[in-house]
Amino acid sequence: MSLLIKNVILDGAPADILIKDGRFACLHAAPGAEAENVIDASSMAILPAFYNTHTHAAMTLLRGYADDMPLQSWLNDWIWPYEDKLTPEDIRRGSRLAIEEMKAGGSVFFNDMYFDIDETMDEVQLSGMRACIGVTMMDNHSGVQRLEKEARLREWKDSDRLSLCVAPHAVYTCGAETLELAARLARENGRKLHIHLSETAREVSDCIAQTGMTPVRYLDSIGFLGPDVIAAHCVHVDREEWDILAERGVTVAHCPCSNMKLGSGRFPYEDAIASGVRITLGTDGCSSNNNLDMREEMKTAALLAKVSGDATLLSASQVLEWATRNGAEAFGIDAGVIAEGKLADAILVSLDHPKMKPCHNLVSNWVYSADTSCIKYVICNGKPI
């Protein structure tokens, strides 16, 4: 398939962009260039699409269900009892709703952690999006369930848009045996590891009480940490731990809206950025956000960083990179930037939208003033979705 995007603003000037076989073939196509499909993008600008590196898609079903309570009570008293009642068809419908919302908001990829994963995977295949679907592991899963998960991870073959990862939930739901099994399965099968890490102060204190170490140090002591790990949240991480994460090549999925809504705390931007660790953005699930809007995550992260009193901390261009290029790179997706040869994942935003006028700086407008209604097209793998 070929796609020609005509008259789009790229780097401040109009351009005709040719896409072939899912990749940017030419960013400045010659006059008269042809393609099977054409988009007239006059008064639009092209930007990288979003990669949501931590979410629970089917939890759209719990949007607004249990608001304004701390994480442990939220999980134990409300979320887990509700989830026990969900059927596979519920998971399918929740995932479908999430995918519709994410596509409308400019996301072309999400990293998921949930259960009944076949339902979510089927919806991804129909959607045109990309996703990495987590095979969730917890101590309360039966031996039979574990064997089934192991077989699934060994037998599954990734496609160009859909992959599996190993997703041990957290240190407070997975003991050493489960964590070590998860790491072994991931590394034997070349898969990512996706885990919640140091999300709350209680998680840290409980881990110290049980192991004598903080969660980051504990995971490092059992050989869990590595460049294949996607660690969600990392709110309560000290300076030394940031150096450990950076040295091990861990990717951090920062979820500012969820962290604030659950009262988990402020992400330590200063130490995280100074460590050089790769930081990405995620929305978390709709029960703790309550949406899947990655543009909102960008603005929230940038503003929350500046609460420290340093208005220069986390610029618009840097947070855009967290939401786009860093997320793609973390999952080995050859995308995240508008460049020849890269996979053609992009969004087209209207420059005629009131929230985009005047346009002194496109990236600043996109991060600080726009919303998802500014999006006109979302392109994944070279196809408008």
Side-chain angles (χ1 to χ4, degrees):
M1 174 184 171
S2 59
L3 173 66
L4 183 64
I5 306 173
K6 294 179 65 67
N7 305 313
V8 71
I9 299 300
L10 171 67
D11 298 328
D16 291 352
I17 297 177
L18 182 62
I19 296 168
K20 288 185 176 180
D21 300 323
R23 292 183 179 270
F24 291 110
C26 183
L27 296 186
H28 298 279
E34 296 182 352
E36 297 167 72
N37 297 284
V38 177
I39 294 174
D40 182 358
S42 300
S43 298
M44 300 180 206
I46 188 167
L47 289 163
F50 294 129
Y51 301 82
N52 185 346
T53 58
H54 177 68
T55 193
H56 313 280
M59 292 184 85
T60 51
L61 299 176
L62 288 85
R63 192 194 319 262
Y65 167 70
D67 287 341
D68 306 322
M69 58 184 67
L71 175 65
Q72 294 301 326
S73 175
W74 174 80
L75 268 179
N76 294 321
D77 302 332
W78 294 83
I79 300 303
W80 284 339
Y82 187 106
E83 288 179 328
D84 283 343
K85 302 174 184 178
L86 296 179
T87 67
E89 179 59 23
D90 294 329
I91 303 301
R92 177 178 290 270
R93 293 186 180 198
S95 297
R96 184 183 306 154
L97 180 59
I99 286 168
E100 290 174 358
E101 180 179 348
M102 283 189 277
K103 288 199 300 183
S107 292
V108 296
F109 167 88
F110 65 100
N111 179 35
D112 204 48
M113 183 191 292
Y114 217 56
F115 50 92
D116 286 322
I117 63 173
D118 288 294
E119 308 303 323
T120 304
M121 291 164 68
D122 286 347
E123 290 299 320
V124 171
Q125 296 283 34
L126 293 171
S127 72
M129 283 187 78
R130 307 179 190 278
C132 183
I133 305 299
V135 177
T136 303
M137 301 185 73
M138 300 171 72
D139 282 350
N140 63 2
H141 292 169
S142 69
V144 172
Q145 287 176 310
R146 289 197 177 201
L147 289 172
E148 290 174 346
K149 291 174 188 291
E150 287 188 43
R152 186 66 178 278
L153 286 163
R154 296 185 193 282
E155 295 167 2
W156 171 261
K157 303 297 182 185
D158 292 347
S159 69
D160 61 340
R161 291 192 293 106
L162 185 61
S163 61
L164 292 185
C165 68
V166 187
H169 177 264
V171 297
Y172 56 88
T173 52
C174 297
E177 181 182 352
T178 299
L179 292 167
E180 289 167 353
L181 171 63
R184 190 181 78 247
L185 282 172
R187 285 156 191 163
E188 287 177 353
N189 294 280
R191 306 208 169 276
K192 299 291 183 182
L193 279 160
H194 179 196
I195 188 170
H196 298 89
L197 181 59
S198 297
E199 183 175 359
T200 65
R202 177 173 171 179
E203 177 187 336
V204 174
S205 62
D206 286 351
C207 188
I208 292 171
Q210 293 168 13
T211 71
M213 291 175 277
T214 60
V216 172
R217 292 181 176 87
Y218 169 61
L219 290 181
D220 195 41
S221 75
I222 62 172
F224 184 93
L225 299 180
D228 48 5
V229 172
I230 313 295
H233 300 293
C234 295
V235 176
H236 296 275
V237 174
D238 64 37
R239 187 65 184 86
E240 183 182 79
E241 289 178 305
W242 280 113
D243 289 339
I244 293 171
L245 294 174
E247 288 168 8
R248 301 293 180 260
V250 171
T251 292
V252 171
H254 173 38
C255 306
C257 290
S258 175
N259 293 343
M260 290 195 297
K261 183 166 179 284
L262 289 173
S264 299
R266 177 182 176 270
F267 185 75
Y269 294 93
E270 298 83 355
D271 288 345
I273 293 171
S275 74
V277 74
R278 178 164 55 201
I279 305 173
T280 63
L281 289 183
T283 59
D284 211 351
C286 271
S287 56
S288 62
N289 187 307
N290 292 15
N291 63 40
L292 304 171
D293 185 347
M294 284 285 287
R295 197 223 58 87
E296 185 175 84
E297 298 297 326
M298 286 197 303
K299 179 174 181 177
T300 302
L303 298 186
L304 188 57
K306 293 165 176 50
V307 168
S308 65
D310 182 357
T312 68
L313 188 61
L314 192 52
S315 67
S317 60
Q318 187 175 14
V319 78
L320 176 62
E321 190 166 281
W322 288 9
T324 58
R325 182 175 189 164
N326 285 12
E329 288 180 349
F331 286 87
I333 303 169
D334 189 24
V337 294
I338 311 302
E340 289 184 5
K342 293 292 186 180
L343 289 168
D345 292 354
I347 57 173
L348 304 182
V349 298
S350 171
L351 299 177
D352 284 337
H353 195 288
K355 290 191 174 184
M356 296 295 287
K357 292 183 175 182
C359 196
H360 298 296
N361 184 302
L362 174 63
V363 171
S364 288
N365 275 12
W366 182 226
V367 171
Y368 292 124
S369 68
D371 62 29
T372 56
S373 67
C374 299
I375 298 172
K376 303 297 287 185
Y377 289 89
V378 179
I379 297 167
C380 180
N381 215 28
K383 298 178 181 179
I385 59 170

